[in-house]
Amino acid sequence: MSHYKRDAASNRDALFGGSGGGGSSSSKRGSAPRPRPQQTPSTAGGGASRQRPSAAAAVASQQPSLVGLQSAPTPSSAADPTATPGPSSIFSSAGRSAARSNLNVLTGDAKIAKMSEAEDYRLKAKKCMTRGIFSKPDPISAANYYKRAADAYKACGENRLERLHRIASGDCQLGQDAYATAAAEYGRAAELAETSDETLPRKRQECHKLNLDAANAWAQMGEAGRAAECKARAAFGLVMGSPVQARIEPKALAAIEEAVEAFVPDPLNRKRDYRRTGTSAYADPNSPDSAEALERATALAKQNVITDSFAHETLAKVGCELLGRGHHESALYAFGAVTSSLEAEGYATISLSRAYATETIVTLAAGDVVAAKSDFQGVHLQRTSYLSSRECALAEDLIRACDSMDPEALDEARGRGGPNRGAMANLDPVVREVVGTIRVSGRARGKDAGARKAAPSSKTGAVAGEQQQQQRQAGVSVPAEPQQTKGSAILSEEELANDTDAAFDEMDGIMNSMGLGDDGGDDDDDDEIDLT
């Protein structure tokens, strides 16, 4: 009977893990038994039972362990704070990222056994896809075996092998119209591509392609919201690894704006004119400006707008990424999609108020006070819930300060101890930083495209001037520079000076009419005090 009990304990341990059996059964196993919590000696007869686990652990500690765990390697993109992380880090929550970073991988003999198991699954999948005389390929079974092999490679920490088997499983599932499973496999493979050891261009290409495949699978299933999110991930896959504050390349910017339109079509986006690249998919090339074509496009757009619960959060993250890189127009296009999505949903109040305030802030940062005031009065104030919000007071104070060109009022509106500190605290950190760059006139402080374009031309002109001077000193004839022209007539030096003076006089007159100029003797008259 005792022999039977030992065999049952061994079988139970093999199926369900260590169960804390006798010392003889634990000594036959290769792995250490599961540790038990320490007990406080409370009875006199429990001394022998308390000594058994320690003896079993001493015996097991003398044998080589078959199971080893090692922490998963940290992604290289997460270690560099100056590089743009992958799309999974941008669009995922902090808790989900932390859970993935705490995964452990097998080492030693346990890894060898798991790798052998994965190889068996791969061979079974290959056999399922082989055509025979009396059999045909079975993609469903092959996809299951490929998934098991990928899970085994995941436990071993084999990034490349897991990624390849995820893709194979997704292809088999997609061929059998299992779109949800295929999209999940493609998405996991895209996350693995972000942390792979490939070169940066290869990682960007794989991440972009796999996320687009996932978007295609979700679209065929009818999940437009998830498809649009995968398109956003694919677009930011092209930006992965670049400096955090660097300008985005035109190809990646075009992909980002296409992803924004996948959430909210351009006919419903009030900020569609701020789109920098591409054309709308709802535009009619035959009659783009006709009222009938615009009406048809609007009706079609209302059927395809995404109003899912968290769609506006993805768009807000896209807008903040664009805003942090200096793309104010494209960011305003994304934030316009945020407000349009929340308006179409019809239930949002606080989120919509913050979206309206963000839209006003970005418009002011772009230097368009007139558009910010028009949208605030014509659209934002028409929402009853927005009138009593703190964000409305912040937007009103900012617009009023910029409209009256009052720097002191602007500093008071955005100050930490001012009346709008509550609304400022609820803003995204990137938007809060942009509030500090707003000026009473012109665009927000920063490096704009005009300054970057003017710098190389001025440097080129200086180099050309030095070369001409060296040629004159060497006695080489230098061709004369062409004189500036006004229309088709050639201006002389005297005419050019007269035109310049006239332009300065016109600007002085405009400044004086606005009360910002210097009228000469008027200041002295204002400073004198008549005591009589």
Side-chain angles (χ1 to χ4, degrees):
M1 182 63 68
S2 61
H3 180 71
Y4 169 75
K5 288 183 178 179
R6 284 199 300 270
D7 291 342
S10 300
N11 294 333
R12 184 168 58 251
D13 295 342
L15 292 174
F16 306 108
S19 60
S24 60
S25 61
S26 62
S27 62
K28 293 180 181 180
R29 295 191 302 270
S31 59
R34 183 179 302 174
R36 294 182 177 181
Q38 296 181 358
Q39 298 178 357
T40 304
S42 58
T43 59
S49 62
R50 288 193 299 273
Q51 295 295 330
R52 290 177 183 174
S54 60
V59 174
S61 61
Q62 297 177 1
Q63 298 180 356
S65 176
L66 297 178
V67 179
L69 293 178
Q70 184 180 4
S71 299
T74 304
S76 59
S77 59
D80 188 4
T82 61
T84 304
S88 60
S89 300
I90 296 176
F91 295 100
S92 297
S93 60
R96 186 179 179 185
S97 301
R100 289 177 180 174
S101 62
N102 293 331
L103 296 177
N104 295 325
V105 296
L106 298 176
T107 58
D109 296 340
K111 181 177 180 180
I112 295 175
K114 185 63 72 172
M115 292 285 288
S116 177
E117 181 182 353
E119 181 66 16
D120 293 340
Y121 286 138
R122 187 189 67 82
L123 294 177
K124 291 180 180 179
K126 185 177 180 180
K127 184 178 180 180
C128 290
M129 294 300 294
T130 303
R131 181 182 296 274
I133 298 177
F134 301 103
S135 63
K136 61 180 180 179
D138 186 4
I140 297 179
S141 300
N144 188 18
Y145 284 125
Y146 278 131
K147 186 179 184 303
R148 292 183 181 182
D151 292 337
Y153 285 127
K154 177 182 178 181
C156 298
E158 296 293 335
N159 183 301
R160 185 172 181 273
L161 293 175
E162 181 187 357
R163 186 170 73 252
L164 294 177
H165 286 78
R166 296 284 182 192
I167 297 173
S169 177
D171 292 341
C172 294
Q173 296 285 1
L174 188 64
Q176 298 300 312
D177 297 341
Y179 300 119
T181 308
E185 296 295 336
Y186 288 140
R188 174 59 183 166
E191 294 177 2
L192 292 171
E194 299 175 13
T195 58
S196 64
D197 297 332
E198 306 289 345
T199 60
L200 183 59
R202 177 67 180 271
K203 289 166 63 174
R204 290 179 177 178
Q205 182 180 3
E206 288 187 2
C207 185
H208 179 70
K209 177 65 169 56
L210 291 172
N211 279 306
L212 284 182
D213 292 341
N216 181 30
W218 286 122
Q220 294 188 38
M221 188 180 177
E223 293 286 345
R226 294 185 177 182
E229 182 179 357
C230 290
K231 287 183 179 180
R233 290 173 179 264
F236 276 93
L238 300 175
V239 190
M240 177 176 54
S242 61
V244 176
Q245 296 182 352
R247 304 279 292 187
I248 299 178
E249 297 180 357
K251 180 181 178 181
L253 185 61
I256 292 173
E257 292 183 346
E258 288 179 3
V260 172
E261 190 181 11
F263 283 94
V264 178
D266 283 358
L268 299 180
N269 192 346
R270 292 189 305 273
K271 302 298 181 181
R272 57 181 175 271
D273 294 334
Y274 289 92
R275 184 173 179 175
R276 299 291 92 187
T277 60
T279 57
S280 174
Y282 295 83
D284 189 358
N286 298 324
S287 55
D289 298 332
S290 63
E292 184 179 357
L294 182 60
E295 184 178 356
R296 290 197 304 267
T298 304
L300 182 61
K302 290 181 179 180
Q303 300 176 4
N304 296 325
V305 62
I306 306 300
T307 58
D308 293 347
S309 300
F310 302 101
H312 67 281
E313 294 185 0
T314 303
L315 288 172
K317 291 178 181 179
V318 172
C320 290
E321 288 291 331
L322 293 171
L323 193 60
R325 300 169 184 273
H327 295 275
H328 290 84
E329 288 78 8
S330 299
L332 190 57
Y333 173 68
F335 285 118
V338 173
T339 57
S340 299
S341 177
L342 292 174
E343 289 173 353
E345 180 184 354
Y347 299 104
T349 55
I350 298 177
S351 300
L352 184 58
S353 299
R354 293 175 182 175
Y356 280 155
T358 303
E359 186 177 308
T360 300
I361 291 169
V362 179
T363 307
L364 292 176
D368 198 347
V369 184
V370 177
K373 185 177 180 180
S374 176
D375 291 339
F376 180 75
Q377 295 178 350
V379 180
H380 301 172
L381 293 182
Q382 307 306 316
R383 287 275 173 174
T384 306
S385 60
Y386 186 63
L387 293 174
S388 58
S389 63
R390 294 178 293 183
E391 288 77 9
C392 180
L394 173 62
E396 182 180 2
D397 292 343
L398 292 176
I399 292 175
R400 184 176 299 170
C402 293
D403 192 22
S404 60
M405 304 185 70
D406 189 353
E408 296 181 357
L410 179 61
D411 293 337
E412 181 181 359
R414 62 189 178 188
R416 293 184 177 179
N420 301 313
R421 59 183 180 274
M424 289 284 293
N426 292 329
L427 295 176
D428 190 271
V430 178
V431 181
R432 195 184 310 130
E433 184 179 354
V434 172
V435 175
T437 63
I438 295 177
R439 298 189 297 177
V440 293
S441 62
R443 294 175 62 93
R445 291 187 296 269
K447 296 180 180 180
D448 53 2
R452 284 191 298 271
K453 292 180 180 179
S457 61
S458 60
K459 182 177 180 181
T460 305
V463 173
E466 293 179 358
Q467 293 178 356
Q468 291 181 0
Q469 185 177 2
Q470 292 177 359
Q471 291 177 358
R472 289 193 183 95
Q473 292 177 358
V476 181
S477 60
V478 180
E481 297 180 357
Q483 297 180 352
Q484 298 184 4
T485 61
K486 182 178 180 181
S488 59
I490 299 177
L491 297 179
S492 61
E493 295 182 359
E494 183 178 359
E495 292 176 346
L496 182 60
N498 293 334
D499 288 349
T500 304
D501 293 339
F504 277 111
D505 293 339
E506 183 179 358
M507 293 179 63
D508 291 339
I510 295 174
M511 298 294 288
N512 292 332
S513 63
M514 296 175 61
L516 302 176
D518 205 2
D519 293 335
D522 294 342
D523 294 340
D524 298 337
D525 296 339
D526 294 339
D527 294 338
E528 294 179 359
I529 299 176
D530 191 4
L531 300 177
T532 58

